Amino acid sequence: TFGDTEEYKINLYNNKCYLFKKMKEGVRIRRLSIAMKVISIYYFAFIPWIILIAINSPLISKGSFIANIFRFQPFNKPYEAMIASIYIAWAIILWKASAKPSKHIAFIDFTILGNAFYGVAMIIVTSVYKGVPSLVLVESLPWFLIVFALLWLRPRANPSEIYKKISVEKISNK
């Protein structure tokens, strides 16, 4: 049921094992809001990336440590700036949506799918162009962490029920 505190049970060899308590929907929404803000901050990291590209910084130029990890050769500055600008716009909307996450479930789903596909693309592209297995993790792991966090925290109830329940929890906590 919505927002209850029943425990999930797993039956292992006829012994009941309590693994964890079901998260209340109000708690889930608050944690999701925080996660969305953290993800937004991560996406905002593309702002300095665009600046470094624009000024031809030696930090990310050919042969540098950072360039070897995060850039693909041959460098394509317009493409990198385009992708970075998309993530900056994404960060702004994600931050705004974090105020009332359950009213933006389609956007959360878009964020989950976008990061999942980007993570898979990074596995393929990194394997083909860089060939270093450890770089596959560097390129794809952050995107999959975002996917798993949002899937875990994604609202489970109808948005109108969530806000009714949160209101009741706030009143009862006073």
Side-chain angles (χ1 to χ4, degrees), residues 98-158:
S98 72
K100 294 191 179 194
S102 61
K103 293 192 180 223
H104 301 282
I105 294 174
F107 187 70
I108 293 167
D109 290 344
F110 171 80
T111 302
I112 291 168
L113 286 173
N115 284 287
F117 286 129
Y118 193 78
V120 169
M122 287 294 93
I123 289 173
I124 294 167
V125 171
T126 305
S127 300
V128 170
Y129 288 101
K130 293 187 178 179
V132 181
S134 61
L135 289 181
V136 172
L137 285 176
V138 169
E139 295 283 354
S140 62
L141 188 62
W143 311 108
F144 289 123
L145 290 175
I146 291 169
V147 169
F148 295 130
L150 292 178
L151 281 173
W152 178 56
L153 294 171
R154 188 182 180 282
R156 306 285 192 260
N158 181 352

Side-chain angles (χ1 to χ4, degrees), residues 18-172:
Y18 298 93
L19 291 180
F20 55 91
K21 290 189 175 191
K22 188 174 184 179
M23 191 183 315
K24 290 183 178 180
E25 203 64 20
V27 172
R28 177 184 306 279
I29 296 302
R30 285 188 290 278
R31 289 180 181 172
L32 175 61
S33 177
I34 293 166
M36 291 169 71
K37 287 178 180 170
V38 169
I39 294 165
S40 293
I41 291 167
Y42 177 71
Y43 289 172
F44 278 125
F46 283 99
I47 292 172
W49 192 255
I50 285 180
I51 294 168
L52 292 173
I53 290 170
I55 64 172
N56 290 320
S57 171
L59 286 173
I60 61 168
S61 63
K62 188 174 184 174
S64 73
F65 176 74
I66 294 173
N68 289 336
I69 293 176
F70 295 111
R71 295 182 80 188
F72 291 91
Q73 312 262 341
F75 297 151
N76 186 338
K77 291 178 184 180
Y79 173 77
E80 290 177 276
M82 179 193 67
I83 292 295
S85 65
I86 290 169
Y87 274 96
I88 293 166
W90 201 339
I92 293 166
I93 302 304
L94 194 60
W95 188 276
K96 284 183 171 186
S98 72
K100 294 191 179 194
S102 61
K103 293 192 180 223
H104 301 282
I105 294 174
F107 187 70
I108 293 167
D109 290 344
F110 171 80
T111 302
I112 291 168
L113 286 173
N115 284 287
F117 286 129
Y118 193 78
V120 169
M122 287 294 93
I123 289 173
I124 294 167
V125 171
T126 305
S127 300
V128 170
Y129 288 101
K130 293 187 178 179
V132 181
S134 61
L135 289 181
V136 172
L137 285 176
V138 169
E139 295 283 354
S140 62
L141 188 62
W143 311 108
F144 289 123
L145 290 175
I146 291 169
V147 169
F148 295 130
L150 292 178
L151 281 173
W152 178 56
L153 294 171
R154 188 182 180 282
R156 306 285 192 260
N158 181 352
S160 62
E161 292 177 30
I162 292 170
Y163 287 106
K164 284 179 193 173
K165 184 65 177 179
I166 291 171
S167 298
V168 169
E169 286 177 8
K170 284 182 181 176
I171 291 169
S172 64

Side-chain angles (χ1 to χ4, degrees), residues 4-15:
D4 64 7
T5 56
E6 291 179 25
E7 295 178 347
Y8 286 108
K9 299 174 185 175
I10 292 188
N11 194 345
L12 301 171
Y13 306 107
N14 296 324
N15 294 324

